[in-house]
Amino acid sequence: MMSSKPETNSQDDSNLAGLVQEIRLSNADPNSVEGQIPVHIQRLETIKAQLERSSASSQDLWDQVANIFQYFADAARQEQARTPIGESAVVPLIVSLEALNSQRLAHVDIQAMRAFANICVDHDVNRMKLLEANAFETIITILAKSTHADSIKTASGALLNTTMACEPAQNKVIELGAIEHLLKVLHATDIDENEISLTIASRVIANLSDIDAGAQSTVKNGGTKTVVQLLQRISVNADSYLDLMDAAADILRAVASRESAQIAIQNEGTLGPLLDILQDAETLDEGKTEEEKKEDDKKLGEIKAALVELVVSVTLADANMVPIFNNKEIMERFLSWLNLADREDLQTTAALCLGNVARSDQHCVKLVHEYQAVEPLIHVVRKATDLKASHAATGVLRNLALPERNREVMGNSGVIQACFPLLKKDNALPLQSNIVGILKRLCTNDGHNAIRVISGREPFETLSSTPDADVETPLSTLVELIDRTDDFALKSEGTRTLCNLVKVTWGSEWMREFDAASITALQQTLNRADVVLPIAAMTRNPKFVVLQNEGLIALTLLVTSPSQDNNAVLDSLVSVTVTAQPDPETTISEQPLDTTQPLTLLESVLGLIKNADGTTPDEVRTNACVFLRNALDSAVRSGEDPSYITYLRASSIKDTLQEVTAQGELRPLVRNAVQEVINRL
């Protein structure tokens, strides 16, 4: 025990002073550290006993303590010295001596923090030694109570090293309020004087904010506002503070996905300042080499990428959607960015944010009719060289196409013509998905847009002839995409778009304003093998009854329609094998399609009616019967090839359907539909 040691006298003090001089002259050779540790520990214990007895601290004693601390700090700069120092009583002694340093003597604090920091470099065991010795309480005390700039800087550095990738240590310092005190460092008025401290403190906060407790503490203590304000101050001279900007941006990057941070930024009014930084911060080329320019531009680009991530996240929060949309200044800023052809980074950011707030019909309608957002979005789609900008802009247009009130304006504005060429961008699946979604929504219950997709022409242009085969249209581009893509979702949505076109062309009120010759031309354009085959394939996927039903309805309409040559639906029904669209759970874009055993369309439809596994709803079975009934009627009509009806009547349809009628628990709806088919055979 400390109390059992003999008291020291003046002779002891003289000897101790000599030892201190030796320590100052020592080169801290790591090979000699292990042998010197016990001597230094004994001296520290002696000094500690003297300090505990004295009512007034001796400056000389504290100077000696600082010098011994410095010895350990300097020695620990060498990797070989860290383990023996950590295994000794050095850490507990530093903690106990710092507890006596009530005056917060800076030279003592600084060397103590240096010792802690250096023994923990790449040394998790020593980090746990600090945790066991309550050393983190010492560090936080210095951070909270010291008024000396270098002490605060060194304490921040100690936190950086001692908590690096060590979750127990991180949790402890968060619990002790480290983030609250570190955030106060970021309020320093003199940036140049305190730049290193600000950078180190920012790094520590960013590291701690990577875990839940740290992120919560950062937001709770106003960290997002503090960091944005700091960035505002230094971004006007970004060249001089790129490292500090990077460290501060890392804090925002760490909390960007937290809803509490997203809401805080909206409520604190810091979204506008973030947009200012994104728009105005830049590096200067004067006095730099080409390599330096490239490096600085890269670093600022990474900083802005972190801020973009945060801004987009803020607009994505459900709680923020209405207040941001109602903030006219913010909305007009986003819309103005869409027109900045030389700043595709801002165009992309604006489009992503507009897409996030355009998640209600009310907002979508207002964006189209009041904010007139369609034209600038089309401008981005047509002019962007960066696929990110195109993807973001088409994402907004996809949202805007959902409300029925918007479809006429969007069609008239040229959205279809601007977007469909990008369906050929096979290296950009999300972009293709957006455009298919736009086409699908715009042509739903809208005859004019259906005409634009099918013919590539504007309504009331000459429609009485089908487009030339070598003329690229939205329809031809879409069917080519459906044929070549291996992505289930894209193939499925593209095929559903074809079904929408069929339904509008045959049954829409919009088509009544066109003459019979025009409608016939449109129907003939759809009654082609490249349109029919993907729809037929969709009816074969038993996991998605809705898709099967949509396909059957479209085929039923198509089979009754006129065709330029042979009836494509009848062709597929009697002779063409149709491979089912794959199961999305077993198929991804990078894998080939699942090659299930092919069936003819006829065999597939009969399978739905038979319902051997009991999974096909009666509505789908009935629609399958209606399709066969219409196919038989079409096969016997004037002008059709008689081989169709000959084949159908010679096939096993009748026997199969009679087996179905023999089922005891067959609902009248299905039974009657089956019987109508049998009656035609």
Side-chain angles (χ1 to χ4, degrees):
M1 296 288 292
M2 198 67 68
S3 58
S4 64
K5 292 187 177 294
E7 296 182 9
T8 60
N9 52 32
S10 58
Q11 184 65 39
D12 293 327
D13 291 342
S14 175
N15 292 339
L16 187 57
L19 177 61
V20 170
Q21 181 64 25
E22 291 175 9
I23 292 171
R24 288 197 181 106
L25 296 174
S26 171
N27 62 5
D29 181 357
N31 296 323
S32 66
V33 169
E34 197 163 359
Q36 294 182 30
I37 288 174
V39 177
H40 299 323
I41 287 177
Q42 184 177 2
R43 292 301 184 185
L44 285 177
E45 288 175 340
T46 300
I47 295 172
K48 178 174 176 284
Q50 288 180 289
L51 291 171
E52 287 174 334
R53 287 197 309 271
S54 174
S55 57
S57 296
S58 164
Q59 182 65 41
D60 182 60
L61 291 176
W62 282 116
D63 289 345
Q64 295 169 27
V65 169
N67 277 279
I68 298 174
F69 285 178
Q70 182 179 354
Y71 168 78
F72 288 121
D74 290 345
R77 290 158 72 178
Q78 302 297 321
E79 182 179 357
Q80 306 95 310
R82 293 167 196 159
T83 295
I85 294 174
E87 290 176 347
S88 71
V90 169
V91 172
L93 262 175
I94 294 176
V95 170
S96 59
L97 280 161
E98 280 286 28
L100 299 175
N101 183 14
S102 58
Q103 296 180 3
R104 295 271 60 91
L105 299 171
H107 66 309
V108 177
D109 287 342
I110 289 169
Q111 298 307 326
M113 295 301 95
R114 288 187 63 239
F116 285 164
N118 289 351
I119 67 171
C120 289
V121 174
D122 297 326
H123 208 300
D124 284 340
V125 173
N126 280 355
R127 292 183 178 117
M128 296 306 296
K129 294 284 186 182
L130 264 67
L131 189 62
E132 294 165 5
N134 298 322
F136 291 110
E137 284 86 341
T138 301
I139 300 174
I140 301 303
T141 297
I142 294 171
L143 195 62
K145 295 185 177 180
S146 179
T147 58
H148 194 282
D150 285 342
S151 294
I152 294 171
K153 176 176 67 178
T154 316
S156 299
L159 279 179
L160 184 64
N161 280 12
T162 57
T163 62
M164 184 72 68
C166 182
E167 193 166 336
Q170 291 174 341
N171 283 323
K172 184 62 178 179
V173 299
I174 292 167
E175 176 189 328
L176 294 171
I179 290 178
E180 178 183 359
H181 299 300
L182 288 165
L183 286 170
K184 292 177 181 178
V185 176
L186 303 190
H187 287 286
T189 55
D190 190 332
I191 301 292
D192 291 331
E193 184 70 24
N194 297 282
E195 182 181 357
I196 296 176
S197 294
L198 292 168
T199 303
I200 295 172
S202 296
R203 295 288 183 209
V204 180
I205 297 170
N207 289 347
L208 297 179
S209 296
D210 275 333
I211 61 177
D212 288 340
Q216 291 171 11
S217 180
T218 297
V219 176
K220 178 182 177 183
N221 288 288
T224 53
K225 185 174 184 178
T226 297
V227 174
V228 173
Q229 288 175 337
L230 173 61
L231 285 169
Q232 272 187 291
R233 294 162 61 195
I234 60 180
S235 63
V236 295
N237 189 12
D239 273 301
S240 300
Y241 302 111
L242 283 175
D243 287 339
L244 177 53
M245 286 186 70
D246 182 55
D250 276 344
I251 300 173
L252 299 179
R253 184 186 289 113
V255 301
S257 62
R258 316 278 176 168
E259 187 177 19
S260 57
Q262 297 161 3
I263 293 173
I265 286 174
Q266 156 58 28
N267 292 343
E268 294 164 353
T270 48
L271 181 57
L274 281 170
L275 301 184
D276 291 336
I277 296 167
L278 284 174
Q279 181 168 329
D280 299 331
E282 60 183 6
T283 58
L284 303 176
D285 294 340
E286 186 178 351
K288 297 179 184 177
T289 65
E290 287 300 319
E291 188 62 30
E292 288 171 338
K293 293 176 189 176
K294 184 177 178 181
E295 184 64 29
D296 286 353
D297 287 344
K298 178 183 177 183
K299 183 170 288 188
L300 183 59
E302 291 170 348
I303 293 166
K304 287 189 174 183
L307 301 185
V308 167
E309 179 184 348
L310 178 64
V311 167
V312 174
S313 297
V314 170
T315 60
L316 184 60
D318 290 341
N320 290 343
M321 185 175 74
V322 172
I324 290 176
F325 190 84
N326 290 338
N327 187 326
K328 191 172 182 179
E329 182 180 351
I330 295 293
M331 292 297 293
E332 288 181 347
R333 173 79 73 93
F334 289 147
L335 291 166
S336 70
W337 281 5
L338 294 177
N339 292 313
L340 300 177
D342 60 336
R343 291 292 303 272
E344 289 192 7
D345 60 324
L346 297 183
Q347 288 182 323
T348 302
T349 303
L352 289 171
C353 293
L354 288 172
N356 286 343
V357 298
R359 287 180 287 133
S360 72
D361 281 3
Q362 180 183 2
H363 288 183
C364 288
V365 169
K366 191 170 182 178
L367 274 171
V368 170
H369 294 272
E370 293 187 30
Y371 281 112
Q372 300 181 336
V374 174
E375 290 289 351
L377 287 166
I378 290 176
H379 173 78
V380 175
V381 172
R382 289 187 184 277
K383 301 296 184 181
T385 58
D386 185 351
L387 287 178
K388 292 179 182 178
S390 300
H391 175 243
T394 54
V396 187
L397 290 170
R398 182 177 182 172
N399 287 0
L400 298 183
L402 189 56
E404 190 168 350
R405 285 183 58 191
N406 288 349
R407 293 171 192 163
E408 181 180 0
V409 173
M410 294 180 70
N412 292 340
S413 298
V415 169
I416 293 169
Q417 291 298 324
C419 290
F420 88 85
L422 295 179
L423 289 174
K424 293 179 285 188
K425 298 283 187 181
D426 288 340
N427 61 332
L429 176 61
L431 175 62
Q432 291 175 320
S433 298
N434 280 346
I435 295 170
V436 169
I438 291 169
L439 298 180
K440 177 172 176 280
R441 290 175 177 180
L442 287 183
C443 69
T444 299
N445 299 323
D446 192 298
H448 289 186
N449 286 332
I451 289 170
R452 292 182 175 105
V453 174
I454 296 168
S455 68
R457 303 167 182 163
E458 285 298 302
F460 304 108
E461 290 184 20
T462 302
L463 300 175
S464 57
S465 61
T466 57
D468 295 334
D470 58 348
V471 174
E472 186 177 69
T473 65
L475 176 63
S476 66
T477 309
L478 176 62
V479 295
E480 288 170 4
L481 172 64
I482 294 169
D483 180 62
R484 70 177 181 270
T485 185
D486 290 343
D487 185 82
F488 172 82
L490 184 60
K491 187 182 288 288
S492 174
E493 283 301 286
T495 306
R496 296 182 77 183
T497 304
L498 298 180
C499 293
N500 276 359
L501 292 170
V502 172
K503 285 186 283 187
V504 171
T505 306
W506 266 260
S508 171
E509 292 288 330
W510 289 82
M511 302 310 294
R512 293 186 178 181
E513 57 186 316
F514 299 101
D515 60 82
S518 295
I519 295 175
T520 297
L522 292 170
Q523 292 176 346
Q524 287 177 337
T525 304
L526 291 171
N527 196 351
R528 301 188 331 229
D530 56 357
V531 175
V532 169
L533 289 179
I535 297 176
M538 193 168 71
T539 66
R540 279 210 51 212
N541 196 320
K543 289 193 68 173
F544 300 95
V545 175
V546 172
L547 302 187
Q548 288 182 301
N549 203 39
E550 287 185 18
L552 285 170
I553 293 170
L555 291 173
T556 301
L557 295 171
L558 280 167
V559 78
T560 62
S561 71
S563 56
Q564 286 184 306
D565 299 308
N566 290 341
N567 188 311
V569 181
L570 290 178
D571 277 346
S572 66
L573 188 62
V574 301
S575 61
V576 180
T577 58
V578 177
T579 302
Q581 290 186 359
D583 185 337
E585 294 180 2
T586 59
T587 304
I588 58 175
S589 304
E590 293 79 7
Q591 295 178 337
L593 292 179
D594 180 23
T595 54
T596 54
Q597 182 178 354
L599 298 172
T600 65
L601 177 57
L602 176 59
E603 291 170 325
S604 177
V605 173
L606 287 174
L608 291 173
I609 298 172
K610 288 171 64 176
N611 191 26
D613 59 3
T615 60
T616 307
D618 285 346
E619 179 188 358
V620 177
R621 299 175 72 188
T622 302
N623 287 340
C625 291
V626 173
F627 167 56
L628 287 181
R629 183 195 69 193
N630 286 8
L632 288 165
D633 289 345
S634 295
V636 298
R637 73 185 171 193
S638 175
E640 290 292 356
D641 188 336
S643 62
Y644 289 136
I645 191 63
T646 301
Y647 176 89
L648 291 170
R649 285 176 174 168
S651 68
S652 60
I653 299 177
K654 190 170 185 178
D655 293 340
T656 300
L657 295 180
Q658 285 176 338
E659 291 176 9
V660 174
T661 59
Q663 296 174 4
E665 299 180 357
L666 194 64
R667 291 181 60 189
L669 178 69
V670 179
R671 185 182 299 279
N672 292 338
V674 172
Q675 191 60 51
E676 286 192 30
V677 180
I678 294 174
N679 292 342
R680 286 165 168 77
L681 293 169

